[in-house]
Amino acid sequence: MNAARQNRLNTFAAHGVLLLYTAIALFPVFVIIINSFKTRKAIFREPLALPDADTFSLIGYQTVLKQGDFPLYFQNSMIVTVASLFFILLFGAMAAFALAEYRFRGNAFMGLYLALGIMIPIRIGTVAILELMVQTGLVNTLWALILVYTAQGLPLAIFILSEFMQQVSDDLKDAGRIDGLSEYRIFFRLVLPLVRPAMATVAVFNMIPIWNDLWFPLILAPAEEVKTLTLGSQVFIGQFVTDWNAVLSALSLAILPVMGLYVIFSRQLVRGITHGAVK
């Protein structure tokens, strides 16, 4: 009984720490959203105050909807993010399953090689990536961003998922083989459902950097028809004058999809982070 009680207390403490970190992380988001509904003077005079009858204004959202094609930017960001996450989770899970399930000469070296991307920032190869995209004719296409973000997210996905794949019961997989299931069916029907919390964790960790990235959209896809939401928001930031109402409104609109996806994956995310932390 004491062990079970201690386990519940440890789990409660872990959830409490995660909630505290979440509140701290969401505070800047809260400040951005409340200031997007205020006049320019109120933003600088009382940035932490809630908008009232005197300071409330929708001028930022009106500017965002009038200047630029933000529905298109939003669509481009959504396509790039969802497609990149799909390929990261699919290829990352397949590679992690192969490394965890099959023992062969060079297994450890292959795992180390696939994880090197965690230590080497992909932005170091920006010039080479741009040259490759020019040669393949993928500049100013969404595929250029999808391929880069997939390559960027795979090392972390393989590193995390391989650890979870090793914890899947061998008896379960052997029972599937005895029943005549192919390796593909074992992977998709038996293994993937058991590592769903880990996949949600990988999705959240990759989703936010992809959605908020400015570097690669600016380098690889600056054309108007393929602009992402983050890049499209830069139109309101000038060298001498910045329309802060429009900037904060655009950022607020950009935050909403990420917040929605975070809420969807939050339960699985907590399970994935705390898995194995308490016994």
Side-chain angles (χ1 to χ4, degrees):
M1 293 297 293
N2 291 333
R5 183 179 180 182
Q6 185 64 35
N7 186 20
R8 289 194 297 267
L9 290 175
N10 290 338
T11 304
F12 179 78
H15 282 74
V17 171
L18 285 174
L19 290 175
L20 176 61
Y21 287 158
T22 301
I24 295 174
L26 291 180
F27 180 73
V29 176
F30 172 75
V31 173
I32 291 174
I33 293 176
I34 63 173
N35 281 286
S36 68
F37 292 100
K38 294 158 63 175
T39 61
R40 183 182 180 87
K41 292 182 179 180
I43 292 174
F44 291 98
R45 286 181 179 177
E46 297 177 315
L48 299 181
L50 294 174
D52 53 28
D54 296 328
T55 61
F56 181 81
S57 175
L58 294 176
I59 184 63
Y61 291 95
Q62 293 171 357
T63 303
V64 167
L65 295 177
K66 290 180 180 179
Q67 186 172 349
D69 193 350
F70 269 77
L72 178 61
Y73 303 158
F74 182 90
Q75 175 182 307
N76 292 336
S77 292
M78 185 62 69
I79 292 174
V80 169
T81 303
V82 172
S84 300
L85 291 179
F86 173 79
F87 289 124
I88 289 172
L89 294 177
L90 177 62
F91 297 141
M94 294 175 69
F97 177 75
L99 291 174
E101 183 65 17
Y102 309 118
R103 297 300 173 185
F104 53 89
R105 182 177 298 178
N107 180 289
F109 175 79
M110 181 64 68
L112 177 62
Y113 174 76
L114 293 175
L116 281 178
I118 302 175
M119 298 172 282
I120 303 176
I122 194 172
R123 285 177 173 81
I124 293 179
T126 298
V127 175
I129 292 173
L130 179 59
E131 292 178 351
L132 179 62
M133 294 302 172
V134 171
Q135 294 173 3
T136 54
L138 293 177
V139 174
N140 284 326
T141 65
L142 297 181
W143 275 110
L145 299 177
I146 293 172
L147 292 174
V148 169
Y149 292 142
T150 300
Q152 174 181 290
L154 278 176
L156 181 62
I158 295 172
F159 179 77
I160 295 177
L161 293 177
S162 60
E163 295 297 323
F164 281 80
M165 295 284 186
Q166 293 175 1
Q167 300 178 26
V168 177
S169 172
D170 291 334
D171 295 336
L172 177 64
K173 292 177 285 189
D174 291 338
R177 294 187 178 98
I178 293 174
D179 290 338
L181 295 180
S182 65
E183 294 298 311
Y184 290 102
R185 288 192 174 184
I186 292 174
F187 172 71
F188 285 107
R189 296 179 59 180
L190 299 181
V191 176
L192 283 189
L194 295 177
V195 298
R196 187 170 53 187
M199 297 187 69
T201 303
V202 172
V204 172
F205 285 166
N206 284 282
M207 172 183 61
I208 296 176
I210 293 173
W211 183 271
N212 293 331
D213 185 44
L214 175 63
W215 179 256
F216 284 114
L218 183 63
I219 301 298
L220 301 178
E224 183 69 21
E225 63 274 10
V226 292
K227 275 186 179 180
T228 60
L229 194 57
T230 304
L231 181 58
S233 303
Q234 303 306 305
V235 70
F236 304 114
I237 301 177
Q239 182 177 0
F240 303 104
V241 179
T242 298
D243 189 342
W244 288 108
N245 295 92
V247 170
L248 294 176
S249 299
L251 292 177
S252 299
L253 294 175
I255 289 171
L256 293 179
V258 178
M259 292 296 296
L261 292 174
Y262 177 82
V263 170
I264 294 174
F265 291 121
S266 59
R267 187 177 184 88
Q268 299 294 334
L269 174 63
V270 173
R271 290 181 181 178
I273 293 177
T274 58
H275 182 76
V278 292
K279 299 293 184 183

